[in-house]
Structure formats: C-alpha cells, structure tokens
Amino acid sequence: MNADPNCIFCKIVAGQIPAKKVHEDDHILAFHDIQPWSPVHILVIPKTHIVSMAEVGDEHAELLGRMMAVTPRLMRELGVTNGFRHVINTGRDGMQEVMHLHLHVMGGPRPWNKG
C-alpha cells in the first residue's frame, strides 16, 4: 500500500500512533476523531495514502463506495439512531486539515452544531 512516512493517518494505519478503532479491513480504517464535533464522530480513511478528493479517479470508485457503505452499520453499532452526516473536506480552501483523504461521519444530537 502507498504510504507517506510524514502523514499522521498513515502512521495510524501502520500502528505507529494509537487510535480508538471502530472498523478495519484490508482497504479502510475507521476510528474516533480526537476532536469530535458531535457525540459520535468517526473518521473513515483509506489505508493507501490518497491526499484528497482532488486526487481521486475512476480507479478509486470501489474504495470510496466501501468507505460510504460501512458507515450505516458503524453508526448503528455506536448507538446513532436518528441520522448522521457525512463530510469530506478537500484541500486547504475546503478546510482539510490532514492531507490524507478522510470521511467524517457525525451523529447524535445536532452533529453539525459544535459547542
């Protein structure tokens, strides 16, 4: 798998940095966000290093589908029963903070209303 030795998410995938994992398979990893915006806030990342959605091509369609498809089950398992939100920030202007593609999945009361 392609990895960036300076990327914090690649280090999490490699087991060099701990994370509170909720799902892992051969292609993706999901874990709790350390700065949550909602009662349940997980990140779903590809194990291979893709910088952002701007780097995604047709060859990534199955991977992106897998990232989206796993989230309903994960949110149910985490107790989210009244809906959830998906957010992917892309690039600096899109407010992406970690330059490794990641899907935020937020649930619980008003997950988009931080504070």
Side-chain angles (χ1 to χ4, degrees), residues 14-27:
Q16 298 169 346
I17 295 175
K20 189 176 174 186
K21 297 177 185 178
V22 295
H23 174 81
E24 184 171 13
D25 64 31
D26 290 342
H27 305 284

Side-chain angles (χ1 to χ4, degrees), residues 40-96:
V40 176
H41 183 167
I42 62 172
L43 301 176
V44 182
I45 66 170
K47 285 188 168 181
T48 190
H49 185 79
I50 301 169
V51 173
S52 74
M53 285 298 294
E55 305 292 322
V56 168
D58 290 341
E59 69 275 17
H60 299 109
E62 184 177 339
L63 175 65
L64 294 176
R66 181 184 305 266
M67 290 173 65
M68 295 295 286
V70 72
T71 61
R73 177 181 56 80
L74 295 178
M75 294 311 268
R76 281 191 305 274
E77 289 173 359
L78 294 168
V80 175
T81 59
N82 199 28
F84 50 92
R85 183 176 185 195
H86 292 92
V87 175
I88 300 176
N89 299 322
T90 303
R92 298 274 180 224
D93 288 343
M95 299 180 65
Q96 185 177 354

